[in-house]
Amino acid sequence: MDSFEHKTLVTKPYDLTYSYYLSPRFNAKLDSAIPTLVFVHGYPDDAYMWEKLPYPIVILDILGHGDSSKPKEVSRYNYLQQANSIAQILDSEGVPDNVIPIGHDWGSAISQRFCLYHRKKCVGLVLLSLAYQIPSSEPFDLDEQNKATAGRFGYPQWEYWNFFTAPDAPRLMEEDLSRMYEVNHGLYPSNIPEEGGRDIWMREMFCTLGAMREYVAKQGKYKDFTVELKPYARDPQLKQRFIARMKRDGFSGPVNYYHTLKNNTMLEDERALCKRVEDKKIDVPLLYIGQTGDWVCRTDLMSDAKEQGLVTDLEEKVVEAGHWFLYEVPGEFSEIVIDWLKRRFPVK
């Protein structure tokens, strides 16, 4: 992203450094009549995944990734803390209250909560892969959630969390980064006739008991097996960027996002949002883009928020791709977002 200006800001109250990028002539282009786009990546990515979009933007490295701080304290990764830090970045750059957060994966979760905690700053919201996660006053129980989703979807949706939150997970992933790259970007067509050759690699790795650990550690059924990569993932530069970045940064920071929910470090923050229905509503224009090949962030999960009347102005799009569709079909992603922006936020 040579044309972007790279900056950092130490945010309060925890003195955490956030890395971010500004598009060319960013400050000169600030205008209260033109929305400011704030892109927030997910796990385990960094700000570079957004660089090809032809729009003036702020690009963030969330905690644990890129050049942002990688604190060991799990609670530092809480949504409220990160939302407040993002607000400090925007204030430091003089950004008007016209922000549209655009988040993928964990970046979607952070963007959702930023919109709830800093409503006055937001005029729209774009969620990629992960649908709106409704605040809950109940503690998160990983085992119970996996039992519930196994009954609802036919597989335990959050099974991979058991690996990511295991004490030895960062070490295992760091010892063989190529295997972790393959976990994320493999291609494995189903041999079940009813599934018509659909790619089920994400379901196999993320939603099958013990599978991710076995593949990363080359154990069990995956001891002598290497999955084929999706076409976009065969790009040696993409793989090398992932390996170099994770070799530098490690996984100890990124896995803390899973510990935050598993350990319920945000429970009181979530309960505060549940006191009034109005505080849980997304009341700005919302664009949701799901993917047919995402077995974890399912495209049908926005239905929960719709049924409860919590998304008042929603537009949904589904693309034929997997979870990392921004690499797989970047052109389609750009077309959908830019079309939505032009229709909902026309520049006069």
Side-chain angles (χ1 to χ4, degrees):
M1 298 193 299
D2 294 338
S3 63
F4 283 67
E5 180 184 6
H6 182 212
K7 303 182 73 173
T8 59
L9 180 72
V10 178
T11 63
K12 301 299 179 181
Y14 301 114
D15 293 329
L16 296 171
T17 297
Y18 277 77
S19 163
Y20 62 100
Y21 301 79
L22 301 179
S23 55
R25 300 182 62 249
F26 175 80
N27 295 100
K29 294 180 180 179
L30 290 177
D31 187 328
S32 59
I34 301 175
T36 302
L37 308 185
V38 179
F39 288 82
V40 191
H41 66 83
Y43 171 100
D45 295 301
D46 61 6
Y48 277 80
M49 73 186 302
W50 306 112
E51 67 173 321
K52 295 182 180 180
L53 286 181
Y55 214 93
I57 49 180
V58 182
I59 308 174
L60 298 173
D61 276 330
I62 61 176
L63 285 187
H65 298 76
D67 292 319
S68 291
S69 292
K70 300 165 182 65
K72 295 180 180 179
E73 299 91 340
V74 172
S75 62
R76 297 294 183 263
Y77 294 80
N78 287 4
Y79 297 148
L80 177 58
Q81 188 284 125
Q82 297 223 54
N84 291 342
S85 291
I86 293 171
Q88 291 175 48
I89 292 170
L90 298 177
D91 289 344
S92 74
E93 296 294 342
V95 175
D97 291 342
N98 64 353
V99 171
I100 300 177
I102 303 177
H104 175 252
D105 191 86
W106 280 104
S108 170
I110 294 169
S111 296
Q112 297 169 26
R113 292 308 187 264
F114 178 82
C115 194
L116 296 182
Y117 289 125
H118 295 277
R119 290 179 179 275
K120 292 183 179 180
K121 289 186 176 296
C122 296
V123 296
L125 177 64
V126 179
L127 304 180
L128 313 174
S129 299
L130 183 67
Y132 179 39
Q133 302 295 288
I134 303 169
S136 173
S137 61
E138 296 300 317
F140 179 84
D141 186 310
L142 180 57
D143 290 337
E144 289 302 315
Q145 286 296 319
N146 276 324
K147 289 177 183 177
T149 54
R152 182 178 180 183
F153 306 132
Y155 56 86
Q157 185 182 16
W158 312 111
E159 163 53 30
Y160 65 103
W161 286 38
N162 285 309
F163 175 57
F164 283 158
T165 57
D168 61 345
R171 175 183 60 80
L172 288 173
M173 290 187 282
E174 291 161 11
E175 285 178 350
D176 198 333
L177 292 170
S178 288
R179 295 291 276 188
M180 198 58 211
Y181 183 82
E182 292 157 12
V183 163
N184 290 339
H185 304 294
L187 176 64
Y188 190 71
S190 173
N191 58 10
I192 300 174
E194 293 78 12
E195 294 187 319
R198 184 181 179 186
D199 178 23
I200 60 170
W201 183 244
M202 188 179 195
R203 187 180 71 193
E204 290 295 298
M205 285 293 97
F206 287 73
C207 308
T208 303
L209 183 64
M212 188 179 293
R213 172 180 288 275
E214 285 192 354
Y215 189 87
V216 171
K218 295 183 178 179
Q219 298 173 344
K221 64 182 289 187
Y222 298 111
K223 180 180 179 181
D224 299 311
F225 175 79
T226 299
V227 72
E228 179 184 358
L229 291 173
K230 291 186 174 183
Y232 74 86
R234 298 167 195 166
D235 178 354
Q237 291 185 337
L238 181 63
K239 181 178 180 179
Q240 185 52 43
R241 278 208 66 254
F242 172 83
I243 290 177
R245 176 166 50 85
M246 301 315 299
K247 184 178 294 185
R248 179 195 68 188
D249 298 340
F251 279 92
S252 294
V255 297
N256 277 329
Y257 286 91
Y258 300 92
H259 287 289
T260 59
L261 280 179
K262 185 178 180 180
N263 297 342
N264 287 291
T265 65
M266 297 184 283
L267 183 58
E268 293 309 313
D269 296 338
E270 294 290 287
R271 284 175 170 167
L273 289 173
C274 293
K275 291 180 179 179
R276 299 191 313 156
V277 173
E278 290 78 10
D279 291 336
K280 296 193 292 183
K281 284 186 176 180
I282 301 291
D283 54 10
V284 295
L286 167 60
L287 172 64
Y288 168 65
I289 306 177
Q291 301 81 54
T292 57
D294 194 328
W295 292 86
V296 174
C297 300
R298 294 172 56 100
T299 59
D300 54 0
L301 290 180
M302 190 62 82
S303 62
D304 297 338
K306 289 191 293 185
E307 290 170 1
Q308 295 183 37
L310 299 178
V311 285
T312 60
D313 188 351
L314 170 67
E315 186 170 331
E316 297 179 84
K317 299 290 184 180
V318 177
V319 299
E320 295 286 336
H323 180 76
W324 282 274
F325 77 110
L326 294 149
Y327 296 128
E328 193 170 354
V329 288
E332 188 170 355
F333 159 67
S334 299
E335 289 175 6
I336 293 172
V337 173
I338 292 173
D339 172 71
W340 180 78
L341 288 169
K342 287 181 177 179
R343 286 187 289 104
R344 300 309 307 270
F345 303 94
V347 178
K348 299 180 180 179

